[in-house]
Amino acid sequence: MDQKVRQFEVCTQDGSVDRHGNPAIRAKTGKWLSAILILVNQGLATLAFFGVGVNLVLFLTRVMGQDNAEAANSVSKWTGTVYIFSLLGAFLSDSYWGRYKTCAIFQGSFVVGLVMLSFSTAALLLEPSGCGVEESPCKPHSTFKTVIFYLSVYLIALGYGGYQPNIATFGADQFDADDSVEGHSKIAFFSYFYLALNLGSLLSNTVLSYFEDQGDWPLGFWASTGSAFAGLVLFLTGTPKYRHFTPRESPWSRFCQVLVAATRKAKIDANYEDMNLYDSETQRTGDKKILHTSGFRFLDRAAIVTPDDDAEKVESGSTYNPWRLCSVTQVEEVKCVFRLIPIWLCTILYSVVFTQMASLFVEQGAAMKTNIKDFKIPASSMSSFDILSVAFFIFAYRRFLDPLFARLNKTEPNKGLTQLQRMGIGLVIAIMAMISAGIVELYRLKHKETASNSSSLSIFWQVPQYMMIGASEVFMYVGQLEFFNSQAPTGLKSFASALCMASISLGNYVSSLLVSIVMSISTRDDLPGWIPGNLNKGHLDRFYFLLAGLTAVDFVVYLVCAKWYKYIKSEASFSESTSEEEV
């Protein structure tokens, strides 16, 4: 018994294993040593990604010959595709490869795409020599060169997209949620993860952005390639220390089993309060039994034991047919996914606001006064204020705001804002950011220079809108990461992180669609439209105010969905409960 107690103390309780498949020893694996490697890896990968993404809209206009609206749409579609690929990465991770292998493979694809982009830009796209700056755009390219360019950037999208949701969850895997100390560290990890993501983009938004804005595109892209390669090497060096969760069964098979079983029993009377629901005794190590809830009663039919189920079990001589009878925990896993969907849908419009930083904010800044004496500020580098805002508010929230809210909470003492409350605050701040951007555009138009697509209003008037977007991210995206990871079933953790990215993806597609609709309507009767090539002839302010109004409506819908949501309730993990019984 002493041996069992000692073994229970040194091994993790959540079912994680080391690289050899043995139970992970707490003192030798995971925790902050592994997490820091992952955080630095995330920072380097983000530096590489934004080294391409932050100035992609300018590359498309100056090198590929697209106009402002077309370039904004292209960036939105590309960014959206990045996050669509996150669903592919999550599926492969949860069902087949596991998070470590998935991260390694997709990072390799990311590096290959960056090498292709760097080489093709230097050797093929910058023609004539010296082109690629605002005053000297490049000549039109052949179909072959255009295909090579799009192949490389979408290979980058595949690599970064497939890697991103898994690295967040893999980092959280390094902490045992069933341990009081490590459980607290696991929650903190998501804040530091988002901070690493933003700090990683700081260098790309300043130094790399400056060189790219001056037309030195190959230098910026090769620097991104080096950063991505260094991040991959660093990730691989931590291999002996990582904790893993081995995928043993496709979570989507379990999901479909519930739907099929419930459909087969659709004719069973819904008034089944007195009937017993099947609660399987066999669970995987580290899994938690989820307590039954009253919502989505149709799905509960999948857990009702019928005479046909018993007869089939006797005939097979083994277990129940999983396509006819599912455990309560399995049914509740499906309910968890269905409950997350309305909350997730409400985050899409926030992502429409967020994506403006990479497109219209940059175009707006490029049409303002960007010079300080002889130094020209790249419009895309203004997103540095967003990054600084994220860093400040993450620190301020964890050190000051969260303890303050905990003291003010009378209903649940010592408990700060819930994740859903934080996400709601993020939506409110996003509305304020769009109003600020619209007001700045009104003043920019008042100070426009009719002889050019510019204005005498300083680009630093954009600082408030960038700062407010940064503050909203801390409340929305960090809260969203924590919320989806904590509420997702054990086998769908990567999928939960991918949902966060998918909301950004759909936000980019919705943004692209919205721009197209607005331009289609506003260009009637030979008018220049709200977002023409020359912003001085348009009304970008009206588009910003439109986004503010749409987000306000979305916030009202979100309040209803958040009020309706029921948090998941679980019993102790299987490994913990069995160990306690043995002791």
Side-chain angles (χ1 to χ4, degrees), residues 156-459:
I156 292 171
L158 171 65
Y160 188 78
Y163 147 87
Q164 189 66 15
N166 293 292
I167 198 68
T169 311
F170 188 59
D173 288 345
Q174 307 310 306
F175 301 99
D176 185 356
D178 293 326
D179 178 79
S180 58
V181 176
E182 290 194 26
H184 180 75
S185 297
K186 186 170 188 172
I187 295 175
F189 172 81
F190 288 107
S191 294
Y192 295 128
F193 178 84
Y194 200 76
L195 179 61
L197 188 153
N198 279 270
L199 292 179
S201 63
L202 181 60
L203 182 61
S204 60
N205 288 346
T206 52
V207 179
L208 295 187
S209 177
Y210 173 77
F211 285 111
E212 291 170 357
D213 189 62
Q214 298 302 308
D216 203 346
W217 297 99
L219 175 62
F221 292 159
W222 279 117
S224 295
T225 304
S227 177
F229 180 75
L232 175 58
V233 172
L234 184 67
F235 176 78
L236 295 177
T237 60
T239 300
K241 294 291 185 180
Y242 293 139
R243 295 176 185 173
H244 307 264
F245 284 91
T246 306
R248 305 179 192 177
E249 179 186 5
S250 171
W252 297 109
S253 294
R254 291 170 59 85
F255 187 92
C256 292
Q257 285 169 358
V258 172
L259 299 182
V260 170
T263 303
R264 282 181 169 181
K265 299 175 180 178
K267 295 182 180 180
I268 293 180
D269 188 355
N271 298 318
Y272 51 82
E273 284 79 359
D274 296 331
M275 302 181 71
N276 292 325
L277 299 178
Y278 175 57
D279 196 2
S280 175
E281 295 295 330
T282 58
Q283 285 184 276
R284 298 182 303 175
T285 301
D287 282 357
K288 295 183 178 181
K289 288 186 177 181
I290 306 177
L291 302 179
H292 178 255
T293 58
S294 58
F296 298 101
R297 292 171 64 89
F298 171 79
L299 296 175
D300 286 333
R301 291 177 169 85
I304 298 176
V305 183
T306 64
D308 291 339
D309 296 322
D310 289 328
E312 188 170 346
K313 180 182 178 183
V314 172
E315 183 178 341
S316 64
S318 56
T319 59
Y320 290 111
N321 181 352
W323 294 94
R324 289 191 57 89
L325 181 65
C326 305
S327 68
V328 170
T329 293
Q330 192 173 345
V331 171
E332 290 300 320
E333 289 174 354
V334 178
K335 290 184 181 181
C336 288
V337 175
F338 284 163
R339 288 194 180 103
L340 288 173
I341 290 176
I343 301 295
W344 173 71
L345 289 173
C346 290
T347 65
I348 293 174
L349 202 56
Y350 172 84
S351 296
V352 175
V353 172
F354 173 75
T355 195
Q356 303 313 312
M357 281 200 307
S359 54
L360 293 182
F361 278 20
V362 177
E363 293 181 11
Q364 181 187 36
M368 300 175 76
K369 182 181 179 182
T370 59
N371 293 327
I372 300 179
K373 294 185 178 180
D374 295 331
F375 180 76
K376 183 178 180 181
I377 302 169
S380 59
S381 69
M382 291 299 292
S383 58
S384 301
F385 288 100
D386 165 77
I387 298 167
L388 294 174
S389 176
V390 167
F392 171 78
F393 278 99
I394 283 179
F395 172 79
Y397 179 79
R398 293 196 60 82
R399 302 285 292 186
F400 302 109
L401 296 179
D402 193 44
L404 175 62
F405 288 129
R407 287 196 296 269
L408 295 176
N409 193 338
K410 302 300 183 182
T411 57
E412 297 181 82
N414 300 321
K415 185 176 181 180
L417 294 174
T418 66
Q419 296 147 349
L420 288 174
Q421 288 171 336
R422 287 155 58 189
M423 292 164 66
I425 292 174
L427 279 172
V428 172
I429 300 176
I431 296 170
M432 296 168 59
M434 286 297 97
I435 294 174
S436 173
I439 293 174
V440 168
E441 180 62 14
L442 284 173
Y443 278 93
R444 193 196 70 80
L445 290 173
K446 287 183 179 180
H447 295 83
K448 65 183 179 182
E449 298 175 353
T450 55
S452 64
N453 179 20
S454 187
S455 171
S456 60
L457 190 68
S458 172
I459 194 173

Side-chain angles (χ1 to χ4, degrees), residues 538-574:
H539 280 286
L540 183 58
D541 55 303
R542 296 177 183 175
F543 185 77
Y544 287 143
F545 291 138
L546 173 65
L547 284 182
L550 291 175
T551 309
V553 174
D554 181 58
F555 174 68
V556 175
V557 176
Y558 174 80
L559 289 178
V560 175
C561 294
K563 184 72 175 176
W564 166 81
Y565 185 82
K566 293 181 180 179
Y567 281 87
I568 187 174
K569 294 181 180 179
S570 305
E571 294 180 357
S573 67
F574 182 65

